[in-house]
Amino acid sequence: MLGYVCRQIGLRVSSQQLKRVCSRKCSSVTGASSDMHLHWASGSAPCWKVMLVLEEKGVRDYPNKRLRFTLEDLKSDDVVKLNPRGQVPIFQDGSTVLKESGAVCLYLEHKFQKQGTTLLPDDYSLRGAVLQRMFETDNIGLIIMKKVAHVRFLFPKDKIDEDRMIPKYKAARRELLLWEGYLSGKSDFLVGNNFTMADVFLFPYVAFFVRYGLDIEKYPAMQAYYNKVKDRPSVKTTWPPHWTNGQGDSSVLGSI
């Protein structure tokens, strides 16, 4: 259509020029930019958080590179040059390079504040509650992911001292019960009746629990939450690709 208009007014435009104009036009609609780039890994909760925010904000078709959880990928020169820790996600927006998922999520929320889903409520009371739950998920990362899941991922089953794991399982159950309580209210989502940044931070963990063997039926409010949020369009679009190949190793969290 644009090429037709140019011809009608006598403006000579090459196919390459037309392609660049159309690309910029499409980018302005979605908010995406060729200056944006995301390094990510499938199944990573931090990466999924960023991808959820991008999707909720309608920012799509951004350049990206999927990495494997291998030293070859994560410690490659290209990755370490951007993030010396050799971790993902890594989000670039022009000269801005962000390497912490929480920072990326907040950056995107503010940059695209007038676009897509409002993930930080305008009401300060609600916003405070959202921020509290967002940062409280760090406890899940430490108590359940690092001290239980990562141990069971990294070590052969016959090399794990189950007696030493018992206190960690108990701590994980206590943490899960806290979140079960938070989800047991009358709200539709974690905080209030709208999907917020609190859900962005929590849901990837809940999905991980389900995939890797947690008996979710012991936590009915969490189960109901999972069943509701998993069908959200942004969640379905960003679902970890390799998770579609079947259930994960249920022994990872089965002992909890």
Side-chain angles (χ1 to χ4, degrees):
M1 180 66 181
L2 183 58
Y4 171 79
V5 172
C6 290
R7 287 192 294 273
Q8 292 301 307
I9 64 175
L11 183 62
R12 304 181 72 176
V13 181
S14 71
S15 59
Q16 284 299 107
Q17 288 173 313
L18 195 60
K19 184 177 180 181
R20 286 196 297 271
V21 171
C22 290
S23 175
R24 286 197 296 271
K25 183 180 179 182
C26 292
S27 294
S28 67
V29 172
T30 64
S33 166
S34 59
D35 290 335
M36 288 185 178
H37 191 280
L38 177 67
H39 286 81
W40 63 286
S42 178
S44 158
C47 293
W48 199 356
K49 285 158 53 176
V50 171
M51 297 170 81
L52 281 170
V53 173
L54 286 164
E55 190 65 26
E56 289 287 341
K57 289 297 180 182
V59 181
R60 305 182 181 98
D61 302 323
Y62 47 87
N64 68 92
K65 183 176 182 179
R66 177 182 171 183
L67 302 177
R68 300 166 298 170
F69 285 111
T70 62
L71 291 178
E72 180 184 358
D73 277 13
L74 295 178
K75 304 303 180 184
S76 68
D77 291 342
D78 289 344
V79 170
V80 172
K81 182 164 50 176
L82 293 169
N83 184 0
R85 296 182 187 276
Q87 298 172 343
V88 287
I90 303 170
F91 180 76
Q92 298 166 262
D93 186 10
S95 61
T96 300
V97 181
L98 299 172
K99 297 155 282 193
E100 292 291 335
S101 60
V104 181
C105 290
L106 290 173
Y107 174 86
L108 292 169
E109 170 63 16
H110 289 293
K111 177 163 184 170
F112 300 107
Q113 189 172 4
K114 298 180 180 179
Q115 178 175 317
T117 306
T118 299
L119 296 171
L120 289 178
D122 292 331
D123 178 87
Y124 279 103
S125 178
L126 274 177
R127 181 176 292 200
V130 168
L131 291 168
Q132 171 61 38
R133 295 293 179 250
M134 283 167 55
F135 294 109
E136 198 171 347
T137 59
D138 285 349
N139 293 284
I140 295 175
L142 175 63
I143 296 170
I144 301 177
M145 302 299 287
K146 185 174 181 179
K147 293 187 176 181
V148 177
H150 290 179
V151 170
R152 301 197 69 88
F153 271 133
L154 293 173
F155 298 97
K157 295 176 184 178
D158 60 351
K159 300 296 183 182
I160 297 175
D161 185 340
E162 289 295 338
D163 289 336
R164 295 185 63 180
M165 292 297 293
I166 289 174
K168 298 178 182 180
Y169 296 151
K170 289 181 178 179
R173 292 185 197 109
R174 288 194 297 270
E175 185 65 24
L176 287 165
L177 286 172
L178 278 175
W179 291 95
E180 175 69 8
Y182 298 154
L183 293 166
S184 295
K186 296 181 180 180
S187 300
D188 290 340
F189 293 95
L190 179 56
V191 177
N193 294 319
N194 296 304
F195 185 87
T196 68
M197 196 71 81
D199 301 292
V200 168
F201 276 51
L202 177 63
F203 182 78
Y205 285 130
V206 175
F208 181 93
F209 298 160
V210 173
R211 176 173 173 79
Y212 287 103
L214 178 70
D215 186 356
I216 196 72
E217 292 183 357
K218 292 180 180 179
Y219 308 92
M222 190 176 293
Q223 182 179 35
Y225 175 79
Y226 171 77
N227 288 333
K228 176 191 298 181
V229 180
K230 71 179 175 64
D231 291 326
R232 190 173 179 84
S234 64
V235 172
K236 294 172 74 172
T237 299
T238 58
W239 196 264
H242 80 281
W243 284 15
T244 60
N245 298 332
Q247 188 66 16
D249 182 354
S250 62
S251 71
V252 173
L253 296 178
S255 299
I256 295 178

